[in-house]
Amino acid sequence: MATMMATRLSRWSGALWSGALGVCAIIAVVRPADADPRAVVELFTSQGCSSCPPADKIIGELSADPSIIALSMPIDYWDYLGWKDTLADSRFSARQRAYSRMRGDRDVYTPQVVVNGSAHVIGSDRAGIESAIGKTAKSDSVMSVPVTMSLAGRQLNVSVAAGKLPAGSHGEVWICSITRAVPISISRGENRGQQVTYHNVVRNLLKVGDWTGNPESWTVPLENLTRDGVDGAVVYVQDGTRDKPGPMLGAAYTSLH
């Protein structure tokens, strides 16, 4: 793979997604979070991309900001080079392609950041990321819906407040189980010999339910989220569907330890 700042991929075959999570809806009083995040920043990265370590470092810096939910989503399409990214997941590759289809630009590359489900930026461009956060925040609906999570025994309670949606559309509620820091010693490819720490690495994506603008609450068993190394969870509400993702409407983070 040629070394370049943004390695572009215009076409790739579809990837499989796992099924939706079975959950039980409950009636609850939903209270807005004390400090709602202003942005969800998703980094599509790869151990095999020489331009990615600076972007991985930026995601680590952004993850320390409580007003930003920063996520690493390692893609798998560079695995064809002959060795596997140990964190890669085909669902993240599919999500990145779905974003490009919705934008209509077919721009799929690493490192790529998607801000609030709409703007894309080269992942190593910190100023560009901050600019995209500001620009996307100008929309009345982006990150406008209060979302809360709380642990209760062996279950996670998720609540989404009332909000407005464009006519004829609906939102989906998803949970990402994450590992906050994953150090990897890379033994092959362009980053051979480097140790890179990946931050807020998404380990699983599970659909909680649909949201139509009314207050909703769900309970999610922790057994559906936890696996080795998982120590946090992010829930987000996004306009559109898994295959046609739109702007981020709200999100929340909680530690699982």
Side-chain angles (χ1 to χ4, degrees):
M1 177 178 60
T3 301
M4 57 194 307
M5 176 168 289
T7 306
R8 299 185 180 273
L9 183 74
S10 60
R11 299 180 62 189
W12 201 261
S13 58
L16 296 176
W17 284 71
S18 59
L21 170 67
V23 296
C24 176
I26 59 173
I27 299 174
V29 176
V30 179
R31 291 174 296 180
D34 293 333
D36 296 322
R38 62 191 174 102
V40 175
V41 176
E42 301 170 67
L43 171 66
F44 297 96
T45 184
S46 172
Q47 293 171 17
C49 165
S50 64
S51 301
C52 285
D56 300 316
K57 184 175 184 293
I58 287 172
I59 288 299
E61 294 167 354
L62 293 176
S63 68
D65 183 342
S67 74
I68 296 175
I69 292 178
L71 300 171
S72 295
M73 295 191 173
I75 52 82
D76 71 339
Y77 46 75
W78 295 132
D79 289 357
Y80 83 93
L81 295 173
W83 60 280
K84 180 171 177 54
D85 184 310
T86 58
L87 298 174
D89 193 314
S90 62
R91 292 174 295 177
F92 306 153
S93 303
R95 181 167 177 80
Q96 188 183 22
R97 289 192 296 272
Y99 274 135
S100 73
R101 288 194 301 269
M102 291 301 292
R103 292 191 308 266
D105 56 25
R106 299 181 68 83
D107 271 344
V108 175
Y109 56 88
T110 57
Q112 183 180 44
V113 154
V114 174
V115 176
N116 284 333
S118 52
H120 76 99
V121 185
I122 294 172
S124 55
D125 182 359
R126 176 67 180 266
I129 293 171
E130 293 288 355
S131 176
I133 290 174
K135 288 178 180 177
T136 57
K138 293 178 180 179
S139 169
D140 291 338
S141 61
V142 168
M143 301 301 288
S144 64
V145 179
V147 180
T148 60
M149 282 193 294
S150 62
L151 279 170
R154 295 296 301 166
Q155 68 184 28
L156 190 64
N157 297 324
V158 177
S159 295
V160 181
K164 293 183 179 180
L165 275 168
S169 66
H170 80 285
E172 291 188 342
V173 183
W174 288 78
I175 283 186
C176 308
S177 55
I178 64 171
T179 303
R180 284 176 284 187
V182 184
I184 298 288
S185 296
I186 301 174
S187 59
R188 299 184 64 179
E190 295 179 340
N191 294 319
R192 181 175 54 207
Q194 291 195 51
Q195 176 156 312
V196 178
T197 298
Y198 296 88
H199 301 272
N200 287 356
V201 181
V202 178
R203 308 304 288 144
N204 203 4
L205 275 170
L206 299 170
K207 183 178 178 182
V208 177
D210 295 308
W211 182 75
T212 59
N214 297 316
E216 299 274 1
S217 293
W218 299 267
T219 59
V220 182
L222 282 183
E223 64 189 38
N224 291 327
L225 299 175
T226 54
R227 55 185 284 188
D228 289 346
V230 167
D231 53 12
V234 169
V235 61
Y236 63 81
V237 185
Q238 189 166 21
D239 190 13
T241 66
R242 178 196 66 188
D243 298 320
K244 295 181 178 181
M248 285 290 178
L249 305 176
Y253 162 83
T254 188
S255 172
L256 295 180
H257 295 305

